[in-house]
Amino acid sequence: MAPWAAVVVWLLAESAWCASHLKFPSGFKFGAATSAYQVEGAWNTSGKTPSTWDTLTHNRPQLITDGSSGDVACDSYHQWKDDIQIASELGLDFYRFSISWPRLMPTSFPDEINEDGRRYYDNLINGLLDKGIEPIITMYHWDLPQRLQDHGGWSNPLIVEWFEEYARVLYKLFGDRVKNWVTINEPFTICTIGYAIGAFSSGVHDPEVGTYLCIKNVVMAHAKAWRLYDKEYRKQFKGRVGISHQLFYLHPTSEEDEEIASLAHEHYVRAYDFYGFNYYTSRKIRRRRDGESLGQLSPMRNIKELDAILEVDRGWDRAACFWFYVYPEGIRKLLSWVKNQYGDVEIVITENGYSTKPESGSNDYDRIKYYRDHLEQVLLAIHEDKVNITGYTAWSLIDNFEWNDGYTTKFGLYEVNFDDPNRQRTPRASAKYYKNVIQTNNIEIPKKFSTITDEL
Ligand code: PNW
């Protein structure tokens, strides 16, 4: 071997050694997440009124790969004790879940609180706290009351007030026990997939105007909910209110594309008390070439405002979802970008996870590898880039209704048997890996996980 090659090999070995011996700082928290529509089921019982996802799945099942819906989903509305049990089995510090607005407020407005809904969320919160698990609540994870959609939904500026009133109810009912709030999950997804493609919960296809109205109102609604807490509840409850953004890392295709890449990242808006950071995948970005068409507008393929094309790298492996290519370095680069852009803001990784096909069952080495490689990049961001990251959330605690994919792609650390009326949850190998990470503060994959056997 040439001397220079030996140095390269040594350097590679050295950097791998470094990363694998890094630890999460004391006080770092691990959690897992779900959302109401994806897990609760009980879509029309106990006083709940329809959400936009009920309407979309019932009226346009052709938009869902297997024509399914979240009518029953994981039946978490009835099986919530199991969810708490497995969260506790994993040793989670926190569990992030969302509230179904039309379950808690059947008219969408504060004139009526549905007692069954309130009891359900009280039980969940109290049950978690009893096990020493912190509840982190997402106020809005895409299941808008259909009634509000009928009045224009996120494109109607009045939604800013509607959301503020909803937030007030949540602070009043649960603020004594819930100290970390995420107002809105992924404005970018809600508005771009929602309006640009029209296959999402709004059901409206209006890429020219709808997307912009939506973004403005979502950001305003978040700001109002934050301000409300700050003014009226922070003193008493001493909690925090943030927002979760879905970010693609956009890798410049050539040096010339560096500017467009940095502009494109600015798509992702700011936060307040903490920056909730959801990361799954990356794209390469470049300017559109003369004569080339942008193609159908899609947040996964282009950015119209920048005249930019997004592509995937042939070297990236693909997960089960059509949009999902694996690039672990992307999470570190984005975390550093957020720090450089917004200063030393506290970042909580509110989602990161991997999808498999149903047939891959519970021996999910690919998922373990995804978690390991991404956790490694998070460690490097903390130690090398000095990014202020305080928590990490695995998506998802359990298999669930994966939006337009229905039940055809799986994100769970626990497999859910959707043929079983009790929707039994069974740990995958990745659940055991994650539990081990939390227990030992070591991301390396123990030998027993790298050759998956039935003993697991
Ligand atoms: C998130 N993309 O959505 C959501 O917050 C979850 O509800 C969802 O189950 C999870 O990720 C997995 O999809 C995303 O196109 C939607 O890159 C789209 C993308 C990423 C995340």
Side-chain angles (χ1 to χ4, degrees), residues 292-344:
E292 184 182 11
S293 137
L294 266 188
Q296 190 210 350
L297 285 186
S298 156
M300 286 152 224
R301 292 192 194 167
N302 43 43
I303 301 177
K304 187 184 67 172
E305 296 82 349
L306 297 174
D307 210 13
I309 302 271
L310 308 185
E311 289 165 329
V312 295
D313 188 297
R314 287 195 195 165
W316 296 345
D317 287 335
R318 190 170 179 183
C321 304
F322 77 93
W323 50 267
F324 196 160
Y325 292 82
V326 179
Y327 182 57
E329 290 83 355
I331 195 171
R332 175 180 176 187
K333 291 180 179 170
L334 269 175
L335 287 162
S336 300
W337 177 83
V338 173
K339 176 186 158 115
N340 293 336
Q341 186 77 2
Y342 300 119
D344 218 7

Side-chain angles (χ1 to χ4, degrees), residues 166-181:
Y166 169 53
R168 185 191 299 280
V169 169
L170 297 182
Y171 298 147
K172 274 195 191 156
L173 292 181
F174 309 121
D176 56 338
R177 288 153 290 156
V178 175
K179 303 299 166 191
N180 280 292
W181 298 91

Side-chain angles (χ1 to χ4, degrees), residues 445-452:
I445 305 172
K447 277 243 155 48
K448 59 178 174 175
F449 295 105
S450 46
T451 46
I452 305 297

Side-chain angles (χ1 to χ4, degrees), residues 193-453:
I193 303 193
Y195 287 86
I197 302 181
F200 224 50
S201 66
S202 74
V204 178
H205 181 230
D206 185 5
E208 296 300 328
V209 178
T211 312
Y212 299 99
L213 292 175
C214 175
I215 285 283
K216 179 182 177 200
N217 295 328
V218 163
V219 173
M220 293 292 287
H222 164 69
K224 280 273 193 189
W226 181 86
R227 177 74 61 204
L228 173 68
Y229 192 84
D230 200 50
K231 272 189 147 168
E232 297 184 30
Y233 298 96
R234 194 188 293 278
K235 236 197 203 136
Q236 180 188 0
F237 292 143
K238 303 184 178 56
R240 302 168 338 137
V241 179
I243 187 167
S244 288
H245 294 298
Q246 202 271 120
L247 297 92
F248 279 7
Y249 172 66
L250 299 169
H251 193 290
T253 303
S254 69
E255 259 175 47
E256 276 172 25
D257 296 308
E258 277 168 18
E259 187 191 355
I260 207 166
S262 83
L263 280 172
H265 284 140
E266 288 182 29
H267 256 60
Y268 314 124
V269 288
R270 304 170 160 263
Y272 292 83
D273 295 339
F274 61 87
Y275 197 108
F277 178 104
N278 295 356
Y279 174 83
Y280 292 88
T281 191
S282 295
R283 290 291 183 276
K284 286 166 68 176
I285 185 168
R286 62 173 173 82
R287 280 185 198 289
R288 184 181 59 80
R289 295 190 187 108
D290 284 348
E292 184 182 11
S293 137
L294 266 188
Q296 190 210 350
L297 285 186
S298 156
M300 286 152 224
R301 292 192 194 167
N302 43 43
I303 301 177
K304 187 184 67 172
E305 296 82 349
L306 297 174
D307 210 13
I309 302 271
L310 308 185
E311 289 165 329
V312 295
D313 188 297
R314 287 195 195 165
W316 296 345
D317 287 335
R318 190 170 179 183
C321 304
F322 77 93
W323 50 267
F324 196 160
Y325 292 82
V326 179
Y327 182 57
E329 290 83 355
I331 195 171
R332 175 180 176 187
K333 291 180 179 170
L334 269 175
L335 287 162
S336 300
W337 177 83
V338 173
K339 176 186 158 115
N340 293 336
Q341 186 77 2
Y342 300 119
D344 218 7
V345 58
E346 178 185 337
I347 300 177
V348 180
I349 298 171
T350 40
E351 282 178 32
N352 179 229
Y354 182 79
S355 64
T356 51
K357 291 273 176 212
E359 50 281 11
S360 63
S362 59
N363 290 341
D364 55 345
Y365 185 71
D366 286 358
R367 180 174 286 106
I368 294 182
K369 174 111 176 53
Y370 181 95
Y371 277 119
R372 187 230 159 264
D373 292 349
H374 285 73
L375 287 168
E376 176 178 41
Q377 296 296 322
V378 173
L379 280 170
L380 289 168
I382 294 174
H383 292 281
E384 300 286 317
D385 311 339
K386 310 288 178 225
V387 185
N388 179 14
I389 307 161
T390 59
Y392 176 89
T393 315
W395 181 276
S396 171
L397 182 65
I398 48 180
D399 288 344
N400 53 52
F401 177 79
E402 178 47 31
W403 309 116
N404 300 87
D405 282 356
Y407 299 98
T408 64
T409 58
K410 309 284 180 187
F411 275 88
L413 294 168
Y414 282 70
E415 188 173 14
V416 173
N417 179 356
F418 290 98
D419 297 326
D420 172 3
N422 295 323
R423 299 294 193 270
Q424 202 192 0
R425 287 99 162 108
T426 312
R428 290 203 167 95
S430 56
K432 296 172 187 188
Y433 165 74
Y434 193 47
K435 179 177 179 167
N436 189 65
V437 171
I438 299 172
Q439 258 173 7
T440 62
N441 195 356
N442 180 350
I443 61 163
E444 286 318 313
I445 305 172
K447 277 243 155 48
K448 59 178 174 175
F449 295 105
S450 46
T451 46
I452 305 297
T453 66

